[in-house]
């Protein structure tokens, strides 16, 4: 997910130390398209954010890496005339956002992580979270899941996991998330305490952006000091 600002609005968090910014692209979690982020996006649009939701390629997927998916996002931004933005994503989408911040540092004002991906999320926990929210019969899109899993496996962690120099990061996570647990956010914050802020959504699981969009959007609006 990418957030960009209207011309007369600033999206710079007071603590970021940046001279200018515009809010992020959002990317979905593994095996899912971006439809489930729709309510969150709509709330943010109502608050004058420009939100760009970007899915994952399903063509030319051989030997794809996170660097390729990051370039896809930057190509979309370029095509839309967006020079810089906050970039973000849910779980796997956050791994792509972190890669963008490292590979295309001049295009990124900050990173929003809806849950912190570590590359080793337990499949059984994801299955349980999916069933709890979408029903027992729901299954992720196999084609998307294959591309995303392959990209993560093909990209060494040291090429996407570090915090980009000087880049502020807002982590929002479900307190009861079993796929990207709250400990992940705390561990990331410990690597760059001056850059990473962590907020928790109480009583929420992995899909907190869908089940608790109001709380999630409030953390974003408050951090970016939109008003």
């Amino acid at each position: 997910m990418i957030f960009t600002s209207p011309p007369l609005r600033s999206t710079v968090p007071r603590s970021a130390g940046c001279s200018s910014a515009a809010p992020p692209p959002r990317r979905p979690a593994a095996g899912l398209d971006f439809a489930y982020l729709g309510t969150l996006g709509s709330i943010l649009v109502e608050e004058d954010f420009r939100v760009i939701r970007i899915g994952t390629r399903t063509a030319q997927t051989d030997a794809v890496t996170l660097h390729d998916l990051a370039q896809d996002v930057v190509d979309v931004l370029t095509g839309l005339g967006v020079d810089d933005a906050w970039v973000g994503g849910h779980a796997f989408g956050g791994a792509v956002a972190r890669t963008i911040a490292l590979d295309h540092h001049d295009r990124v004002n900050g990173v929003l992580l809806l849950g912190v991906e570590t590359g080793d999320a337990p499949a059984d926990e994801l299955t349980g979270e999916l069933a709890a929210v979408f029903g027992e019969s729901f299954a992720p899109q196999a084609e998307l899941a294959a591309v995303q899993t392959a990209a993560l496996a093909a990209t060494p962690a040291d090429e996407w996991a570090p915090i980009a120099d000087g880049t502020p990061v807002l982590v929002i996570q479900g307190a009861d998330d079993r796929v990207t647990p709250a400990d992940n956010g705390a561990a990331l914050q410990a690597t760059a305490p001056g850059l990473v802020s962590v907020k928790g959504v109480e009583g929420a699981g992995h899909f907190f952006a869908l089940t608790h969009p109001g709380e999630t959007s409030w953390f974003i609006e408050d951090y970016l000091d939109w008003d």
Side-chain angles (χ1 to χ4, degrees), residues 40 114 172 201 208-210 212-221:
L40 175 60
L114 303 177
I172 305 174
V201 181
F208 63 89
L210 172 64
H212 296 69
E215 294 95 322
T216 304
S217 66
W218 186 89
F219 285 131
I220 297 169
E221 296 162 35

Side-chain angles (χ1 to χ4, degrees), residues 1 21 30 52 69 87 91 126 149 162 168 173 176 184-185 198-199:
M1 173 178 285
I52 304 167
L69 301 184
V87 299
L126 177 59
T149 300
Q173 51 192 7
D176 299 330
N184 292 3
V198 179
K199 304 295 182 182

Side-chain angles (χ1 to χ4, degrees), residues 1 3 24 26 86-89 94 97 110-114 170-172 220:
M1 173 178 285
F3 302 103
R26 289 181 307 184
W86 270 74
V87 299
V111 175
L112 168 66
L113 300 177
L114 303 177
L170 172 61
V171 174
I172 305 174
I220 297 169

Side-chain angles (χ1 to χ4, degrees), residues 5 22 29 43 55 57 60-61 67 69 71 102 104 110 118 121 129 137 140 155 157 165 176 199 209 214 225:
S5 63
I43 294 172
R57 65 163 75 181
Q60 299 179 348
T61 58
H67 301 291
L69 301 184
Q71 184 64 55
L102 290 165
H104 307 275
T118 57
E129 294 262 14
S137 62
T155 312
D165 289 345
D176 299 330
K199 304 295 182 182
D225 196 24

